Amino acid sequence: MASLTITDIRKKFGSQEVLKGISLSINASEFVVLVGPSGCGKSTLLNLIAGLETINSGEIKIGDDVVNDVQPKDRNIAMVFQSYALYPNMNVEKNLSFGLETRKVPRDEIKKTVDHVANMLQISELLKRKPAELSGGQRQRVAMGRALARDPAIFLFDEPLSNLDAKLRVDMRTEIKMLHQRIKTTIVYVTHDQIEAMTLADRIAIMKDGVIQQFDTPQQVYDNPSNLFVAGFIGSPSMNFIPCTVIKQNEDTGVIFKTGEETSFFIPIKRTDLSLTEWIDKDVIIGVRPEQIASGFHLQEGNKQIHEIMCTVQVLEPTGPDTLVFVNINDTKVTCRVNPLDAKQPGENMKLMVDISKVLVFDPDTKMRIGNVA
Amino acid sequence: MPGKMNVMVGEKSPGMIAGRIIVYTLSILAAVYFLIPFFVMVMTSVKTLEDIKSGNLISWPREFTLDAWIKAWDSACTGINCEGVKGYFFNSILMVVPSVAISTIIGAVNGYVFSKWRFKGSEVLFTFLLLGCFIPFQIILLPMSGMLGWLKISQTIFGLALVHIIYGLSFTSLFFRNYYVAIPDEIIKAAKIDGAGFFRIFWKCILPVSAPIFMVVIIWQTTQIWNDFLFGVAFSGSESQPVTVALNNIVNTTTGVKEYNVDMAAALIAGLPTLLVYIISGKYFLRGLTAGAVKG
Ligand SMILES: Nc1ncnc2c1ncn2[C@@H]1O[C@H](COP(=O)(O)OP(=O)(O)O)[C@@H](O)[C@H]1O
Ligand SMILES: [Mg+2]
């Protein structure tokens, strides 16, 4: 295992700048997930770390060594590709041993390593098969096995699960996490799936248009996203963004939630960690997660942070444990997560409780979060 | 695919049946149209000369004989020489085997570079190479003969083979490049990380999956080079003529009676190798041509 330090790297393809100064400092043994929409430059960054592409400027350090000019094979990394990239002409055993043979590892040692890896990934029965004779899940295992056989200092995963069906994806996710807990190798894992990012990562780097938006623990990026993009990207269903104007009413600073022609509610926003006094009469965007608007909360009696509103139900989406209720607030579609037993039918009015203790406020111009939550 | 076939067999609408009939009729007509001359050639080549003079073109031979074949092979006159086509047939083999082998191998490496190891300017270079596919034979006759003279290999089989190698490179490179483009780049990346270099990747990961395209290119080149007449006539000496040129000389030798049976036998001998190549490996040819289109 090794640490990985990336300092202000840039990459251009022709005139298009794909990576615009990326800096990340990843600790040894850490599991870092790089997440972002398709085309934002995740694979490019991974290829740069691997040495498969050359950087235009910046520095990449693996452990204490600057590897800018080091060949991929000498960087002591292994990579798992989205398409698995197994050698189609070689059987599983050959796929696992190819890298070792290239490195002239002694034959008996290769055999031991292949057996060990095959055991670990439960693919021992498949060793004589060609990739074409394997299922998607099995190919995925072989691709991981090929990386494991090399015993590298850093693993690079490029969307390794995105070609699997939903059920298998969840299973493999758990396996990858267990594998990491066992071998403790540093992992940089790329995905566009925020759930994968949340479940796997020690820290998540959220990327957009070649810029890192935030690099923090899953809980931090969920609770304290640094801007609108991160707030909307992390979490499913997405955070609601309600445009509001901050007003002052009887000594309290807050916003109005207008849920119908004649129904408006003043929601005071009074928190030790968030003061909106400088924003009075200005527009803001209130970020509320669906679970923060519910039919009721535990111990809600007398809680000053919980406010009641009345809304007209537009659409229901039962998910099983909860039902998603869609309502209108300030002419914006808002998702609420309610107890299935409390959900009213479309067209009916429904009493909803808003918990503002974790509500976020964003500047509509800079798209950045307001307030300094610790 | 099987599902689609079933639909076709299962639901026979009148329109579909009519379509089938038209397709089959046209195919059979086309096949007959191309086969009749071949049939006439074979028939003529096993007839005696009297038989040919008295009968009509497509009549069955009254007396079956291989004399014409033996004469064409062994003693027919090509100009002043009367030793049949055998020597020229071997000339053709000596010319075709190395030129096909070399142009194919270089084409494979070129294709590999142009698809998987692009460098600054490689696209431009490839475009120039492609231009080679569109240059008519006639244009290069003069400069090429000048070059062969300068290299002191005019009128040799080696010189002729060299011309074919150079001329074929555009095609072989194009074929291989288009085939290799369909191989995912990630496989090359994986191999690089596994520590393999340019040639090891080519040898271990690319060549083993290249059989179909090798078939295509080998068939293409063999047919092109074996059947070539213009380069053969222009660049060979009397001793190094390929069989196509010899055939022309037999047919055009005007002394004595016109021996149609010998002409036909000689033509068939000259055409047999390409025919055989196609019959034996034609299905690989089709498979290889379409292989790139299907994503693996
Ligand atoms: N080899 C390349 N040449 C030119 N443009 C490229 C190349 N690789 C990637 N790009 C461009 O860089 C951008 C980022 O691509 P990529 O890193 O693959 O995104 P992601 O993996 O996040 O989906 C895309 O706009 C893509 O078109
Ligand atoms: Mg990608």
Side-chain angles (χ1 to χ4, degrees):
Chain A
M1 67 205 79
S3 63
L4 173 66
T5 316
I6 296 169
T7 316
D8 194 28
I9 63 174
R10 289 171 188 275
K11 176 67 183 173
K12 273 188 183 171
F13 287 118
S15 59
Q16 179 200 10
E17 187 162 47
V18 174
L19 296 180
K20 303 164 187 166
I22 302 272
S23 297
L24 286 174
S25 185
I26 296 168
N27 304 322
S29 289
E30 198 172 16
F31 196 139
V32 167
V33 175
L34 204 59
V35 67
S38 202
C40 71
K42 307 181 296 292
S43 299
T44 306
L45 179 54
L46 221 52
N47 282 334
L48 291 176
I49 298 172
L52 294 166
E53 304 265 7
T54 48
I55 54 179
N56 292 120
S57 69
E59 186 186 81
I60 300 175
K61 256 166 85 178
I62 294 178
D64 295 324
D65 306 320
V66 176
V67 294
N68 284 14
D69 300 318
V70 177
Q71 290 291 310
K73 66 184 166 76
D74 300 322
R75 291 196 181 190
N76 203 8
I77 47 109
M79 191 155 168
V80 177
F81 296 90
Q82 179 173 4
S83 64
Y84 311 140
L86 301 178
Y87 310 120
N89 52 309
M90 304 180 196
N91 65 21
V92 169
E93 185 177 9
K94 282 279 171 202
N95 264 283
L96 296 182
S97 62
F98 183 71
L100 301 170
E101 280 169 17
T102 309
R103 278 154 220 279
K104 308 233 161 26
V105 175
R107 207 166 273 266
D108 48 336
E109 202 173 309
I110 293 181
K111 174 116 186 46
K112 262 204 319 228
T113 309
V114 168
D115 285 345
H116 173 68
V117 168
N119 261 329
M120 185 151 67
L121 292 170
Q122 295 154 19
I123 48 175
S124 302
E125 294 76 44
L126 309 176
L127 285 179
K128 295 296 171 208
R129 293 213 207 151
K130 292 271 182 73
E133 301 158 352
L134 303 175
S135 71
Q138 290 168 333
R139 283 181 210 181
Q140 215 284 323
R141 279 167 193 275
V142 177
M144 297 224 309
R146 185 170 61 182
L148 277 173
R150 294 259 324 282
D151 191 22
I154 299 177
F155 276 122
L156 306 173
F157 287 87
D158 193 356
E159 311 217 16
L161 304 184
S162 60
N163 284 344
L164 299 179
D165 59 60
K167 169 89 174 64
L168 205 52
R169 193 152 59 211
V170 174
D171 293 346
M172 281 311 291
R173 201 167 73 195
T174 319
E175 271 195 53
I176 291 179
K177 190 151 188 177
M178 291 198 319
L179 190 70
H180 176 250
Q181 284 166 4
R182 203 166 132 195
I183 61 176
K184 297 258 188 290
T185 306
T186 315
I187 294 183
V188 183
Y189 183 110
V190 161
T191 177
H192 63 267
D193 178 352
Q194 55 92 19
I195 298 183
E196 234 169 84
M198 292 293 286
T199 49
L200 286 172
D202 292 328
R203 278 193 295 168
I204 300 181
I206 297 128
M207 213 168 142
K208 182 195 171 204
D209 298 337
V211 178
I212 300 279
Q213 306 289 314
Q214 191 169 2
F215 182 37
D216 220 326
T217 62
Q219 204 61 54
Q220 275 297 316
V221 295
Y222 189 80
D223 289 340
N224 297 315
S226 58
N227 59 35
L228 272 176
F229 175 79
V230 175
F233 193 81
I234 299 289
S236 172
S238 294
M239 180 183 279
N240 299 299
F241 295 125
I242 306 170
C244 299
T245 308
V246 178
I247 57 168
K248 192 163 180 162
Q249 187 171 315
N250 313 329
E251 303 306 310
D252 284 335
T253 319
V255 296
I256 300 282
F257 278 5
K258 184 166 177 291
T259 62
E261 283 307 320
E262 268 125 45
T263 41
S264 290
F265 302 88
F266 177 71
I267 313 282
I269 294 184
K270 205 162 131 193
R271 263 171 31 200
T272 50
D273 59 347
L274 177 65
S275 162
L276 288 180
T277 45
E278 284 171 28
W279 288 82
I280 290 167
D281 293 332
K282 287 186 190 146
D283 290 336
V284 294
I285 290 172
I286 300 291
V288 200
R289 293 211 179 269
E291 66 267 23
Q292 292 160 1
I293 311 179
S295 43
F297 291 95
H298 189 54
L299 299 176
Q300 64 186 19
E301 287 307 319
N303 186 333
K304 291 269 177 16
Q305 304 283 27
I306 294 178
H307 306 274
E308 183 182 314
I309 59 176
M310 285 296 285
C311 295
T312 310
V313 176
Q314 309 282 333
V315 182
L316 291 181
E317 276 184 9
T319 65
D322 309 300
T323 292
L324 302 180
V325 174
F326 293 86
V327 301
N328 265 329
I329 300 177
N330 294 2
D331 294 324
T332 306
K333 193 179 88 176
V334 171
T335 316
C336 320
R337 197 190 275 276
V338 309
N339 187 324
L341 297 176
D342 299 332
K344 293 281 193 329
Q345 289 308 303
E348 294 178 357
N349 284 337
M350 182 173 177
K351 190 175 82 178
L352 289 167
M353 310 303 282
V354 184
D355 177 1
I356 64 124
S357 59
K358 285 186 167 176
V359 156
L360 305 173
V361 186
F362 297 93
D363 181 335
D365 295 327
T366 64
K367 318 275 189 228
M368 300 305 282
R369 185 162 53 89
I370 298 165
N372 52 334
V373 184
Chain B
M1 241 355 193
K4 225 172 195 173
M5 297 295 265
N6 286 340
V7 171
M8 279 192 173
V9 179
E11 305 164 25
K12 282 183 194 151
S13 71
M16 255 175 171
I17 295 175
R20 292 276 103 173
I21 290 175
I22 291 174
V23 167
Y24 278 117
T25 315
L26 284 179
S27 314
I28 290 169
L29 278 180
V32 169
Y33 182 78
F34 282 104
L35 278 176
I36 282 181
F38 182 69
F39 175 77
V40 170
M41 282 176 76
V42 175
M43 283 301 126
T44 310
S45 74
V46 294
K47 285 176 185 171
T48 59
L49 212 51
E50 291 79 53
D51 197 351
I52 295 170
K53 281 175 183 154
S54 57
N56 68 33
L57 265 180
I58 51 171
S59 69
W60 210 251
R62 250 173 288 166
E63 185 193 345
F64 177 87
T65 170
L66 287 179
D67 287 351
W69 282 74
I70 294 167
K71 184 166 185 197
W73 181 254
D74 222 26
S75 60
C77 295
T78 56
I80 46 166
N81 254 332
C82 287
E83 289 174 352
V85 296
K86 59 177 187 296
Y88 307 105
F89 190 88
F90 287 116
N91 280 351
S92 275
I93 292 179
L94 282 181
M95 165 188 79
V96 164
V97 171
S99 54
V100 168
I102 294 172
S103 62
T104 302
I105 290 168
I106 299 181
V109 176
N110 277 354
Y112 172 53
V113 171
F114 285 127
S115 59
K116 299 294 175 222
W117 293 80
R118 300 209 179 123
F119 49 91
K120 246 199 171 75
S122 68
E123 293 292 306
V124 179
L125 205 62
F126 182 66
T127 313
F128 275 116
L129 197 62
L130 273 196
L131 278 182
C133 297
F134 301 103
I135 295 178
F137 278 31
Q138 294 80 346
I139 290 185
I140 64 170
L141 286 181
L142 272 180
M144 190 59 93
S145 85
M147 194 186 90
L148 291 179
W150 180 71
L151 289 173
K152 304 221 166 19
I153 47 174
S154 302
Q155 312 219 322
T156 63
I157 294 178
F158 179 73
L160 193 53
L162 185 68
V163 175
H164 282 298
I165 291 171
I166 295 172
Y167 198 82
L169 276 182
S170 294
F171 293 93
T172 58
S173 304
L174 173 70
F175 279 138
F176 276 105
R177 184 236 177 224
N178 286 358
Y179 183 81
Y180 290 151
V181 159
I183 296 178
D185 287 346
E186 289 192 342
I187 289 184
I188 310 296
K189 289 182 182 174
K192 280 186 195 167
I193 291 177
D194 266 344
F198 182 88
F199 282 110
R200 186 169 163 85
I201 296 175
F202 186 54
W203 195 249
K204 289 284 186 179
C205 309
I206 299 287
L207 277 186
V209 297
S210 303
I213 194 63
F214 266 93
M215 293 309 288
V216 169
V217 171
I218 289 173
I219 293 173
W220 173 269
Q221 282 295 85
T222 307
T223 330
Q224 291 292 311
I225 299 176
W226 185 278
N227 288 344
D228 163 71
F229 178 75
L230 188 60
F231 286 164
V233 140
F235 300 133
S236 65
S238 56
E239 290 304 304
S240 59
Q241 282 168 355
V243 71
T244 45
V245 177
L247 172 65
N248 178 64
N249 292 345
I250 287 182
V251 176
N252 285 342
T253 300
T254 45
T255 51
V257 263
K258 193 100 192 93
E259 293 178 295
Y260 288 109
N261 50 357
V262 175
D263 292 353
M264 294 302 163
L268 285 170
I269 291 173
L272 268 184
T274 45
L275 201 62
L276 277 182
V277 164
Y278 196 80
I279 289 172
I280 294 169
S281 43
K283 63 172 187 245
Y284 296 103
F285 187 71
L286 288 178
R287 219 179 277 163
L289 273 186
T290 51
V294 184
K295 199 122 175 78

